[in-house]
Amino acid sequence: MRAAEQRAEGAGPFTTRLTWRLPDGGTAVWESRPARRRGIIAVRPPGAPRGRHTSADEVALRRLRRLNAVAATAFVIGGALFATGAGVARLGSGDATTCASIYFAGGLFFNTGGYVSLLQVVNAPRHVPGGEGRLVTPGWRWWSYEPTRVDWSSAFVLFVGTLVFAVDLLDSFLRGLSVQQVNRLVWAPDVIGCVLFLVSGHLAFVEVCHGRFCVRRRSLGWWIVAVNQFGSVLFMVSAIAGFTRPATGSLVDAGVADWATLVGASCFSLGGVLQFYERP
């Protein structure tokens, strides 16, 4: 006798939590983020006051630990480099090329963190349809296309955002540009990247909160998403303040742009530090 799906939760096309009633009277609960980050699914035996966590096999757990460590390290270093670049720009202790070089190095680490985050989703253990209360480990893949999964969509949008930022960072090395060229080649990709970061963060909240607004002070996953989303908001503030006025050739507010970048990048570093602890 197979278990029947009892309840699905999420938002739109995304399912973020599934609850099944098992044939013996117990329940199994799969949640997207704990399953892909920590390789666990909650099972409550019949009559038990609380559930217990069933883990994926050791192959999956080792895989999750390695990918998590690489992604977290990349975001910590990338955020630190962006914060350093903003500090150098604010203090005037380096020329434009120096700042651009620091930002570009940080961008490479963000690219790495973004892609490895996508690999975490692609290679995460999957639940068994029908609620058998266990996770299975798929074969290793470097890529997948799963837009109906909220975790895949969030990670993919994040990765694309880091690639768009790379365009902005490369163009920032160009010299002798007109105001219009600066806004088109440097500022526009910056804004697009910020929008993609915000969209990715929103989808991450959908995953954690199952499509509803929530504040989960005891959830490490919620805090990681919240800290990173705050960093994304500050990056957007920086991008808006960094628009070059065509009439004067000056930024809207260089001080706000630098400080918002510095604090926002620090948020990404903090999010990376917290991510070290969200592992199997």
Side-chain angles (χ1 to χ4, degrees), residues 188-218:
D190 188 17
V191 171
I192 294 171
C194 290
V195 170
L196 292 173
F197 270 37
L198 288 170
V199 171
S200 173
H202 172 72
L203 292 173
F205 268 121
V206 169
E207 181 186 27
V208 171
C209 298
H210 310 297
R212 301 179 296 273
F213 173 79
C214 72
V215 176
R216 298 185 172 181
R217 290 176 294 178
R218 296 185 179 182

Side-chain angles (χ1 to χ4, degrees), residues 132-276:
E132 296 182 18
R134 64 187 180 91
L135 295 169
V136 296
T137 306
W140 177 266
R141 292 182 293 175
W142 293 100
W143 167 253
S144 72
Y145 182 69
E146 302 174 85
T148 58
R149 290 181 57 185
V150 69
D151 51 354
W152 185 92
S153 296
S154 177
F156 177 72
V157 172
L158 174 67
F159 178 50
V160 174
T162 66
L163 295 180
V164 175
F165 272 128
V167 175
D168 157 37
L169 297 172
L170 279 173
D171 289 345
S172 65
F173 284 100
L174 299 176
R175 294 292 173 261
L177 299 177
S178 66
V179 171
Q180 290 76 15
Q181 289 173 322
V182 168
N183 286 334
R184 184 175 72 253
L185 299 176
V186 180
W187 182 79
D190 188 17
V191 171
I192 294 171
C194 290
V195 170
L196 292 173
F197 270 37
L198 288 170
V199 171
S200 173
H202 172 72
L203 292 173
F205 268 121
V206 169
E207 181 186 27
V208 171
C209 298
H210 310 297
R212 301 179 296 273
F213 173 79
C214 72
V215 176
R216 298 185 172 181
R217 290 176 294 178
R218 296 185 179 182
S219 168
L220 178 59
W222 185 91
W223 279 108
I224 292 172
V225 172
V227 168
N228 284 330
Q229 187 70 333
F230 184 58
S232 297
V233 170
L234 290 173
F235 265 35
M236 177 57 81
V237 170
S238 172
I240 294 172
F243 178 76
T244 303
R245 294 187 178 96
T248 63
S250 61
L251 301 185
V252 170
D253 195 317
V256 169
D258 290 337
W259 281 112
T261 298
L262 192 154
V263 179
S266 299
C267 288
F268 290 126
S269 281
L270 176 58
V273 171
L274 294 176
Q275 186 176 327
F276 278 113

Side-chain angles (χ1 to χ4, degrees), residues 113-139:
Y115 178 60
V116 175
S117 294
L118 186 59
L119 286 179
Q120 284 182 287
V121 174
V122 171
N123 295 287
R126 312 297 177 97
H127 66 79
V128 178
E132 296 182 18
R134 64 187 180 91
L135 295 169
V136 296
T137 306

